[in-house]
Amino acid sequence: MRSFLASSIGVAAVAALALPLAATAPVAAAPAAAPPATAELAGSTQSLPMAPLPGLGRAAGDASQEGLAQREVRPFSLVGVVWDNAEDELHGSVQVRTRARAAGTWSAWQDLETHNHDHGADPGTAEAAGPLHGSTAPLWVGDSDAVEARVRAEDAEGEPLPRGLRLDLVDPGADPAEGEAGDSGRALREPDVLPALDGAASRAEAAGTSRAGEAAGASGAEAARPYVGARPRIITRRGWGADERLRERGFVYTNSVKVAFVHHTASGNGYSCAQAPSVLRSIYRYHVKSSGWRDIGYNFAVDKCGNIYEGRAGGVTKAVMGAHTLGFNTNSTGIAVLGTYSNTSPSAAALKAVEQLAAWKLGLYGVNPAGKSTLVSGGGNRYKKGRSVRFNAIAGHRDGFATDCPGARLYGRLGSARTTAAHFQGRR
């Protein structure tokens, strides 16, 4: 655990869900108690180094192709490629094929999204100072027990592949109380779920965040105005089985939430809604153990059935600093739709969940989802550090960084999402 949070002690992580926003400094760390040392670590990660493969036409000294020969491994469900230095980019293609554990059949070759540098901690922050690794987007492949991989540089004479390429295979572990009935594979109970609140209750909840509105330049009256969407039902970290021993113990907060950045996880669409908690546990482990982040990067996640999940720990009402939109993690929140939406349209249920979540979360901070907000860049490939940038209050990841995320099919729905979210706030 890195030193900037190693001394964090005190308040239980679950209690942070219900507390009103208390941070008014630009970035503030809050303490939280570590889970009991006796807690079982759920899931595991296998890390397999890559090497030159015979039969790929490699010449001696050629550094443009690496891979992993077909190999039986311990069961896993999510795969990604990782390398030593987070500053290095992988200019090329990554493909894997896997063997389904139940059927014993091999998949076709599947592509992994290599341009994952745009997700991560802002430059110059304490989180970015840790031992971070470069990584592809992870791919959900389901219960598998064998794998084969290949990585090829886009130009054999150009940029070499990053050093230390390895294949990380993630086992998400069993669901909490696995085997019970429920629409997500088990019965969820408090504090597994934060129930929906109607508009009146949500407005009362928003009163606790008025200081954040004042810090962002709004008056107390504006911050407490009735344009707050009803809080949707949110499955907590406990509900999806987050192992709190994986993450760092403290929380980092910013002043406000001015923009909701929408993402896709680029992890594929081959999951069922009952598997969504397992997908989320796998991404969480991959972000922490493989990429080196302090917690899962997204503040919230949404599955194809419209279920909403708490992402990064620290309290769903609070301005928790995430690692989702490099350069613009301050005063924003990250909402990731599980799946890949470059050529596949998001479901109506997922879109409605994004709209309801944004209407509530932005409303807590007095923000109109159909309006615009200004953020200051922390550095990236689209905007230099220190530049003030005007964003739609519901923005796509690609608006802040040169990337395909959240996929063309999801990005194209954000215009209507802004209008609908504003309507959910009671605006006309």
Side-chain angles (χ1 to χ4, degrees):
M1 189 165 295
R2 299 192 283 279
S3 59
F4 78 99
L5 289 169
S7 63
S8 299
I9 58 174
V11 184
V14 172
L17 294 170
L19 293 176
L21 185 68
T24 56
V27 178
T38 56
E40 291 280 339
L41 282 176
S44 63
T45 301
Q46 303 172 69
S47 193
L48 308 176
M50 291 194 173
L53 283 178
L56 285 182
R58 291 176 54 97
D62 178 15
S64 66
Q65 301 179 79
E66 292 190 20
L68 185 77
Q70 192 174 109
R71 179 183 303 189
E72 293 189 354
V73 293
R74 298 192 309 273
F76 68 99
S77 295
L78 179 137
V79 59
V81 169
V82 181
W83 53 94
D84 291 343
N85 189 348
E87 297 300 318
D88 294 339
E89 290 198 54
L90 197 164
H91 298 283
S93 64
V94 178
Q95 294 182 312
V96 299
R97 57 193 298 259
T98 57
R99 188 178 68 188
R101 191 177 174 196
T105 56
W106 282 87
S107 71
W109 285 102
Q110 300 183 78
D111 294 316
L112 273 64
E113 174 57 62
T114 60
H115 300 295
N116 198 44
H117 182 70
D118 46 346
H119 299 80
D122 287 351
T125 62
E127 185 170 2
L132 304 182
H133 302 295
S135 58
T136 67
L139 179 69
W140 176 261
V141 295
D143 191 17
S144 304
D145 61 5
V147 66
E148 185 177 4
R150 59 192 186 195
V151 181
R152 290 173 171 155
E154 60 187 11
D155 181 359
E157 305 300 324
E159 192 87 17
L161 294 173
R163 291 181 179 273
L165 286 172
R166 53 197 178 274
L167 191 69
D168 275 15
L169 308 174
V170 179
D171 168 22
D175 285 327
E178 188 171 18
E180 296 182 22
D183 60 359
S184 61
R186 66 189 189 90
L188 294 174
R189 306 181 181 90
E190 293 293 351
D192 295 342
V193 176
L194 296 176
L197 294 180
D198 62 19
S202 292
R203 288 191 289 274
E205 182 179 51
T209 69
S210 61
R211 279 175 291 175
E214 291 168 349
S219 69
E222 286 176 315
R225 64 190 175 183
Y227 295 121
V228 182
R231 186 180 77 188
R233 175 179 179 270
I234 301 173
I235 299 171
T236 67
R237 288 171 64 90
R238 171 173 164 155
W240 54 264
D243 183 349
E244 303 297 355
R245 290 185 59 176
L246 293 180
R247 66 170 176 85
E248 296 202 13
R249 290 183 293 174
F251 311 127
V252 179
Y253 300 109
T254 61
N255 284 335
S256 185
V257 175
K258 299 180 180 181
V259 176
F261 284 107
V262 177
H263 304 257
H264 67 175
T265 57
S267 52
N269 303 312
Y271 70 93
S272 68
C273 293
Q275 291 174 319
S278 295
V279 176
L280 204 53
R281 289 197 306 277
S282 298
I283 293 173
Y284 169 41
R285 175 174 281 275
Y286 186 76
H287 282 181
V288 175
K289 290 296 186 181
S290 299
S291 299
W293 302 347
R294 63 177 304 275
D295 195 350
I296 191 170
Y298 309 113
N299 298 102
F300 297 94
V302 172
D303 69 24
K304 63 175 71 173
C305 291
N307 296 306
I308 299 171
Y309 303 84
E310 176 190 13
R312 180 164 285 211
V316 295
T317 64
K318 294 187 177 183
V320 180
M321 188 173 187
H324 49 84
T325 305
L326 191 147
F328 293 102
N329 291 308
T330 296
N331 295 333
S332 71
T333 194
I335 302 172
V337 182
L338 299 179
T340 304
Y341 298 101
S342 300
N343 300 306
T344 300
S345 295
S347 69
L351 285 169
K352 183 177 180 181
V354 170
E355 293 159 356
Q356 291 176 323
L357 177 59
W360 168 72
K361 183 69 176 185
L362 292 172
L364 294 178
Y365 294 85
V367 175
N368 181 350
K372 294 182 181 291
S373 297
T374 299
L375 300 178
V376 178
S377 175
N381 68 357
R382 185 181 288 276
Y383 299 106
K384 292 182 179 180
K385 185 174 182 178
R387 179 173 172 179
S388 293
V389 183
R390 193 81 166 157
F391 289 103
N392 289 310
I394 298 179
H397 185 181
R398 63 175 65 181
D399 294 325
F401 201 96
T403 175
D404 290 334
C405 186
R409 295 289 184 90
L410 177 53
Y411 186 77
R413 301 299 298 274
L414 296 186
S416 61
R418 296 177 194 113
T419 301
T420 304
H423 176 74
F424 284 145
Q425 283 191 350
R427 300 176 187 268
R428 296 292 184 266

